[in-house]
Amino acid sequence: MAESTIVLGMADLMVVPAPVKLVTLGLGSCIGLVVFDSFAKVAGMAHIMLPDSRGLKGSEKVGKFADTAVPALIEEMLKKGATRPRIKAKIAGGAQMFSLPGSSAEFLTVGAKNVKETKLKLAKMGIALVASDTGGNKGRTIEFSTSNWLLKVKTLGKGISEI
Amino acid sequence: MADIELFNALQLDAIREVGNIGTGNAATALSGLLSRMIQMDVPKVELVSIYELGEHYGDPMQIVGAVFVRSTGGFGCSLIFIQNEDDADLMVELLLKQQFGTYIPVNEIPEEMKDSALSEVGNIVLSSFLNAINLLVGTHHQISVPGVAHDMLSSILDVVASIYGQMGETALLVNTELRVEGLDAGRKISGHIILIPDPDALELLLTRLKVM
């Protein structure tokens, strides 16, 4: 069966059976979270924008926040045949696009908070984080393929790496 | 805090007018810096879904040069001066030619000097924009040191999502374009100014303008 390509937009979250290629374009401070079970042949991705949903109205997309995206993604994986001990995770993104010396604006460091919260949630749920490419000041485009279960990360000026 | 999705036409007009006055001052300052005529558009006040920011301003994957500043004080806001990377290169060439009198092709200009020139242009454009607004609204402000980035449009605009995403799913932006025309071979340089008001500063702005 041919591998289809799915591009996820901001706050999108989805789990699909292999073969598939999951893509997210131009991650800045956002996080691309990939989870997969290579035995059950199923993979999922979420495009996380912010660390936590506290104090916000409940009507929003679950993929938007790290604290809601991680449990939703895992639940969806289990529904599609994955088992929790076999699920592995990879993350990329969480850059700080602008540094303003002397400015204490909190939103500028949201990338680092996204990384921290995503890792924390994964650890709490007992999901192994097997690879990550996070931080820095450059945007990333990512592609996860179930043909080799590798996450391809493209960074401007740094080329492509596979993790 | 005011719900931006419930602003009426009069309030949106008032915000647009603020953008207009800012843009006029920014165009004048850029014109002085480059000794060139600057064309400007009437600004647009836009309510944009934070999930569609990347697509809203063109190809989300295009490489852009962006200068970012934060303003704190009375009217808190962030401002981005954003250009297609080719336009940013032309702008740097033009500025250096203007200041040193000799033309240096952009590929011979060291990266740090390019960034510093771009940051200078952005700083002048954005602080002129802000000065006009603050004069109109009667507030004082402090402007941060500018930050420069070259990257995919969609990555740059994550910063807007991280400001408005905390409050909801819609961002209120004032968007305007400045153009340098009359260059050799009919070329032109274009740059967008995007004003991102702090959500909690909008009420103050509208109160001062007597439309809230």
Side-chain angles (χ1 to χ4, degrees):
Chain A
M1 209 184 347
E3 188 181 66
S4 58
T5 298
I6 301 174
V7 180
L8 284 87
M10 287 256 203
D12 282 350
L13 178 149
M14 100 180 26
V15 173
V16 280
V20 70
K21 189 183 274 179
L22 296 165
V23 177
T24 296
L25 307 172
L27 290 165
S29 57
C30 292
I31 298 271
L33 165 64
V34 172
V35 288
F36 61 98
D37 178 340
S38 54
F39 184 81
K41 299 205 183 315
V42 58
M45 188 183 269
H47 181 160
I48 298 168
M49 299 166 67
L50 293 164
D52 81 83
S53 59
R54 268 176 305 198
L56 283 154
K57 30 184 181 185
S59 60
E60 301 190 31
K61 293 183 170 192
V62 287
K64 183 175 172 184
F65 305 101
D67 66 335
T68 50
V70 176
L73 200 53
I74 300 306
E75 191 183 325
E76 203 55 34
M77 285 289 286
L78 300 177
K79 272 191 208 159
K80 300 233 159 99
T83 59
R84 197 181 286 235
R86 282 197 311 247
I87 299 178
K88 293 187 171 73
K90 297 186 179 190
I91 63 171
Q96 178 170 351
M97 302 308 295
F98 294 101
S99 304
L100 310 184
S103 170
S104 58
E106 266 201 27
F107 62 84
L108 289 172
T109 56
V110 76
K113 289 173 200 140
N114 283 337
V115 174
K116 192 176 162 205
E117 187 65 24
T118 304
K119 285 184 173 172
L120 198 69
K121 276 283 156 193
L122 287 169
K124 269 193 186 156
M125 299 196 71
I127 306 298
L129 178 67
V130 294
S132 67
D133 177 6
T134 59
N137 58 6
K138 283 289 175 193
R140 296 168 172 89
T141 284
I142 59 167
E143 268 182 40
F144 182 76
S145 168
T146 57
S147 65
N148 54 8
W149 310 99
L150 285 175
L151 182 63
K152 198 185 272 185
V153 184
K154 292 184 209 168
T155 311
L156 187 68
K158 284 197 223 157
I160 300 175
S161 64
E162 279 195 315
I163 59 170
Chain B
M1 193 185 61
D3 188 340
I4 56 173
E5 290 175 60
L6 298 178
F7 282 161
N8 61 37
L10 185 64
Q11 291 169 325
L12 293 175
D13 268 350
I15 298 170
R16 179 172 20 249
E17 187 50 25
V18 165
N20 210 5
I21 286 163
T23 309
N25 210 39
T28 305
L30 185 60
S31 175
L33 181 70
L34 300 173
S35 303
R36 296 266 174 181
M37 285 274 289
I38 306 292
Q39 306 289 322
M40 59 176 262
D41 279 354
V42 177
K44 286 184 239 161
V45 178
E46 305 176 308
L47 292 168
V48 188
S49 158
I50 55 166
Y51 308 122
E52 284 152 19
L53 281 164
E55 294 79 16
H56 186 81
Y57 289 101
D59 175 7
M61 294 304 285
Q62 68 177 296
I63 305 301
V64 296
V67 183
F68 184 94
V69 299
R70 247 325 270 157
S71 170
T72 50
F75 176 57
C77 61
S78 306
L79 278 148
I80 309 185
F81 184 62
I82 200 160
Q83 296 183 278
N84 184 293
E85 189 75 338
D86 293 339
D87 286 37
D89 282 351
L90 283 174
M91 182 73 95
V92 168
E93 282 181 352
L94 194 62
L95 178 69
L96 294 183
K97 189 177 164 202
Q98 172 64 24
Q99 296 198 330
F100 301 117
T102 45
Y103 169 77
I104 313 161
V106 74
N107 52 16
E108 290 173 20
I109 303 171
E111 276 314 306
E112 302 79 51
M113 194 190 273
K114 265 168 65 178
D115 274 2
S116 142
L118 202 57
S119 156
E120 179 67 11
V121 171
N123 200 22
I124 282 169
V125 165
L126 299 178
S127 50
S128 312
F129 191 103
L130 276 170
N131 288 340
I133 295 183
N134 281 289
L135 209 59
L136 174 76
V137 185
T139 48
H140 293 281
H141 63 251
Q142 296 86 44
I143 305 176
S144 74
V145 176
V148 181
H150 304 270
D151 221 307
M152 294 167 276
L153 177 64
S154 141
S155 309
I156 299 282
L157 292 178
D158 267 9
V159 73
V160 178
S162 61
I163 296 170
Y164 272 92
Q166 307 276 6
M167 319 291 158
E169 302 184 291
T170 306
L172 186 149
L173 305 170
V174 182
N175 170 24
T176 187
E177 191 184 355
L178 298 180
R179 285 182 306 277
V180 189
E181 291 176 349
L183 301 173
D184 301 343
R187 289 191 298 190
K188 62 173 186 174
I189 305 173
S190 132
H192 280 265
I193 301 172
I194 302 174
L195 166 69
I196 314 153
D198 287 356
D200 57 8
L202 281 166
E203 211 166 311
L204 168 86
L205 183 70
L206 294 174
T207 307
R208 290 289 182 109
L209 297 172
K210 303 195 178 6
V211 287
M212 184 171 252

